[in-house]
Amino acid sequence: MSRTCASLPSPSPAWDATSLAGALKAAAVRRSAPHVGPLHAVLVKLGLSASAILATSLGHLALRCGLPRYARDLFDEMPRPDVVSWTSLLTGHAHQGLHRESLALLRRMVGSGVEPNGYSLSGGLLACAGFGQDALALGKEIHARVLKMSLHGPVDPVVENGVLDMYSRCGSIEYACRVFRVMQVRNIVAWNSMMAALLGSGQPEEALRLFVSMVSCGIGVDGFSFSIVVDACGELALLKQGMQVHARVVGGGFEADVIVRNSLLNMYAKCGCVDSAELVFKVASSRDAVLWTTMISAYGKFGLVQDAVSLFDRMAELGIKQDGIAYLAVLSACSHGGLVREGWHYFSLMSDGQSSVKMHPEHYGCMADLLCRRGYLEDALEFIENMPFVSSIAAWSALLNSSRIHGNAKLSQLAASRLLKLDPENHSNWVALSSVHASENDWHETWTIRESMSRECVKKEPGCSWVELYDGVHIFLMADQSHPELFGILKTLDSLEDISVMSFQGT
């Protein structure tokens, strides 16, 4: 018997309901699957199968041990399951990632006439959040039940946070914001959930504003809060603000937090400070695989390809697990550095079964990009067409870009056509196909495509860039003339152009 099992009481004639309840609780804490069957046998032997409390505890143990079918069979044998039994089963399934089964149990519960309590609804909300946008309608129904419950008294903050998280993860940020504004209790979980939702929906500026509001309200900041706000600074490339947050991280004693460290390293890399990122990595002196992978990715993006490859090899030497994302980082580094031989080596480690990492379309996309960057267009085409997956959008995009750079009109048209079939909702694919035909003076096909674009209401998204200057961020859009200092900017550009021409003539 293992050490974990030995710490639990052994079956004996002295078993009673109290000792059995204690053993079930201890086994659930340890997730001790070998004790599920024996403890069930004790339950039956003592004639306590009809006890809803003990049967529910046994079902909870089975769920904690990854035995959902066993738990459902136990539940179906209960003569009159109460709200606690229903809640334990459906929340247990939600926590195990069995979202469909959890929602089906909630429907059964309501259909059987048992009124869900806050914890039942919380489990249903968790299941909806796991499903994503497809479960938004059901999530709204559960929210309606929560609102009805609030008419009879305060709602538990756990349930309110569940509603907020559900809307966030179902992609309904507007509803999430409404829920946040009217929440009776805004604890640190609610603030973090709302900031994470804004960041995840592409609104890092709003996430930063919310962080400032949270601090102003006197809410204590935790590691998760810092991680979110550092990620927001990274998305906006706000180095100054990122460094200020880093100082608060150190002052708050969160520099040892693995998640915060990863966010700091990533932020410095996105802000172009690879030296600072490297310093965070070295000071951490950690074997955390995510931290190593982030550093490999940073090296690759800044052209320090040999450093990226060396660090990846060092991971293997130290026995640090290299997952699919780590392989993706080193393949991307090889692609940026044009290291075809090394790229094939790492790709072969996965494809030949020498590594336990499962291959994904992204890995093939990186390899195709590597071949394209080196100008091996025909090899890249053959590689893409022989992929064991449905053709990768990333791979065809790489072929399109490289074909246009190398002036291969035939491959450019092929790649653009395939991209349009794979992702017709992406407006840039229409624009790319139109541009390819226009570059070859094929005006008939060009106008045909543009007429189709007009019918489909396809519009090219304007290019956007921004620059941080002093205490503000200036945003520029293609053909936009709304900037208040536009005249001065254009005048300065003209003077720079004159200087450039004079310098060229002088040489």
Side-chain angles (χ1 to χ4, degrees):
M1 181 177 289
S2 68
R3 184 177 178 182
T4 299
C5 296
S7 62
L8 295 170
S10 302
S12 71
W15 279 103
D16 58 13
T18 303
S19 59
L20 179 57
L24 287 168
K25 183 178 180 180
V29 170
R30 294 166 176 79
R31 300 178 188 268
S32 180
H35 279 86
V36 175
L39 289 174
H40 190 185
V42 172
L43 181 72
V44 174
K45 185 177 180 180
L46 293 175
L48 298 172
S49 299
S51 169
I53 295 175
L54 292 174
T56 299
S57 296
L58 182 59
H60 175 67
L61 167 60
L63 282 168
R64 295 267 295 175
C65 295
L67 302 170
R69 183 55 189 266
Y70 197 105
R72 289 197 297 272
D73 289 342
L74 281 169
F75 179 83
D76 291 337
E77 292 173 2
M78 292 185 191
R80 289 179 300 277
D82 58 13
V83 65
V84 177
S85 302
W86 280 103
T87 301
S88 176
L89 189 66
L90 72 91
T91 55
H93 277 74
H95 283 293
Q96 290 290 326
L98 303 170
H99 308 304
R100 188 183 305 277
E101 292 82 353
S102 178
L103 293 175
L105 286 165
L106 181 59
R107 292 191 189 93
R108 276 183 58 193
M109 178 183 183
V110 174
S112 68
V114 178
E115 185 68 23
N117 60 18
Y119 296 105
S120 316
L121 298 178
S122 182
L125 290 166
L126 179 62
C128 290
F131 247 120
Q133 194 169 3
D134 292 340
L136 180 58
L138 183 55
K140 288 181 177 180
E141 290 181 27
I142 298 175
H143 185 194
R145 284 184 170 270
V146 173
L147 292 174
K148 183 178 178 182
M149 187 183 298
S150 68
L151 299 176
H152 304 285
V155 177
D156 193 306
V158 172
V159 181
E160 285 194 310
N161 289 336
V163 174
L164 175 60
D165 183 59
M166 180 274 296
Y167 280 124
S168 300
R169 292 169 63 183
C170 288
S172 185
I173 303 302
E174 182 182 350
Y175 276 98
C177 290
R178 290 182 189 176
V179 170
F180 181 76
R181 283 195 294 266
V182 301
M183 285 180 75
Q184 298 174 8
V185 178
R186 291 185 195 170
N187 56 20
I188 184 65
V189 176
W191 285 92
N192 285 343
S193 294
M194 193 66 248
M195 286 192 296
L198 290 168
L199 180 62
S201 64
Q203 302 179 62
E205 304 99 326
E206 295 303 320
L208 287 175
R209 289 193 183 97
L210 196 61
F211 177 76
V212 173
S213 298
M214 181 178 75
V215 174
S216 300
C217 291
I219 305 296
V221 182
D222 62 7
F224 191 44
S225 312
F226 279 126
S227 176
I228 296 168
V229 75
V230 169
D231 285 341
C233 290
E235 287 297 316
L236 295 168
L238 299 177
L239 177 59
K240 181 180 176 181
Q241 288 78 358
M243 292 174 71
Q244 290 173 351
V245 177
H246 191 176
R248 293 199 61 163
V249 166
V250 175
F254 290 98
E255 67 271 26
D257 188 300
V258 175
I259 298 175
V260 175
R261 280 201 308 250
N262 290 336
S263 294
L264 285 169
L265 196 160
N266 195 39
M267 181 272 293
Y268 281 121
K270 287 184 175 180
C271 290
C273 295
V274 69
D275 290 339
S276 297
E278 192 175 47
L279 184 60
V280 171
F281 176 75
K282 289 180 177 178
V283 169
S285 186
S286 170
R287 289 184 174 232
D288 178 62
V290 176
L291 194 71
W292 283 68
T293 300
T294 306
M295 193 67 243
I296 292 169
S297 180
Y299 279 143
K301 288 176 181 176
F302 285 93
L304 303 173
V305 185
Q306 291 300 333
D307 290 324
V309 169
S310 298
L311 198 61
F312 183 82
D313 292 339
R314 182 69 176 150
M315 281 183 78
E317 293 171 7
L318 294 175
I320 300 172
K321 184 179 180 181
Q322 297 166 311
D323 60 9
I325 300 176
Y327 272 94
L328 198 60
V330 76
L331 285 174
S332 177
C334 290
S335 176
H336 283 289
L339 304 182
V340 177
R341 183 173 60 83
E342 290 84 348
W344 274 121
H345 167 68
Y346 294 121
F347 186 82
S348 299
L349 289 179
M350 291 185 289
S351 60
D352 296 344
Q354 299 178 51
S355 168
S356 59
V357 175
K358 185 179 179 181
M359 300 286 284
H360 290 281
E362 291 79 7
H363 297 113
Y364 280 84
C366 260
M367 201 62 223
D369 185 55
L370 171 55
L371 294 171
C372 288
R373 284 174 183 262
R374 292 294 290 173
Y376 303 144
L377 302 183
E378 295 297 336
D379 292 336
L381 176 62
E382 182 181 357
F383 179 82
I384 293 169
E385 291 183 330
N386 289 319
M387 285 171 57
F389 303 97
V390 175
S391 298
S392 165
I393 291 175
W396 284 111
S397 296
L399 183 61
L400 171 61
N401 294 332
S402 295
S403 298
R404 295 178 71 175
I405 291 171
H406 290 278
N408 191 322
K410 182 179 178 182
L411 280 183
S412 296
Q413 291 177 12
L414 173 63
S417 300
R418 293 291 182 89
L419 278 171
L420 191 57
K421 289 180 181 179
L422 287 170
D423 191 13
E425 300 299 319
N426 189 336
H427 295 177
S428 63
N429 292 335
W430 289 85
V431 176
L433 184 59
S434 170
S435 300
V436 167
H437 284 285
S439 66
E440 291 299 304
N441 297 322
D442 187 355
W443 300 113
H444 174 72
E445 190 64 29
T446 300
W447 284 112
T448 301
I449 295 168
R450 290 182 179 176
E451 286 175 0
S452 299
M453 291 170 65
S454 298
R455 287 195 302 271
E456 299 292 332
C457 298
V458 174
K459 291 183 179 180
K460 183 179 180 181
E461 291 291 329
C464 176
S465 63
W466 63 88
V467 61
E468 182 184 2
L469 185 64
Y470 303 119
D471 59 348
V473 177
H474 297 259
I475 300 174
F476 300 92
L477 293 172
M478 184 70 177
D480 178 35
Q481 299 184 6
S482 62
H483 196 282
E485 298 180 42
L486 178 65
F487 178 76
I489 293 170
L490 293 176
K491 188 175 180 180
T492 303
L493 285 173
D494 287 339
S495 64
L496 289 173
E497 186 176 345
D498 292 339
I499 293 171
S500 177
V501 171
M502 290 171 63
S503 300
F504 177 77
Q505 290 174 345
T507 58

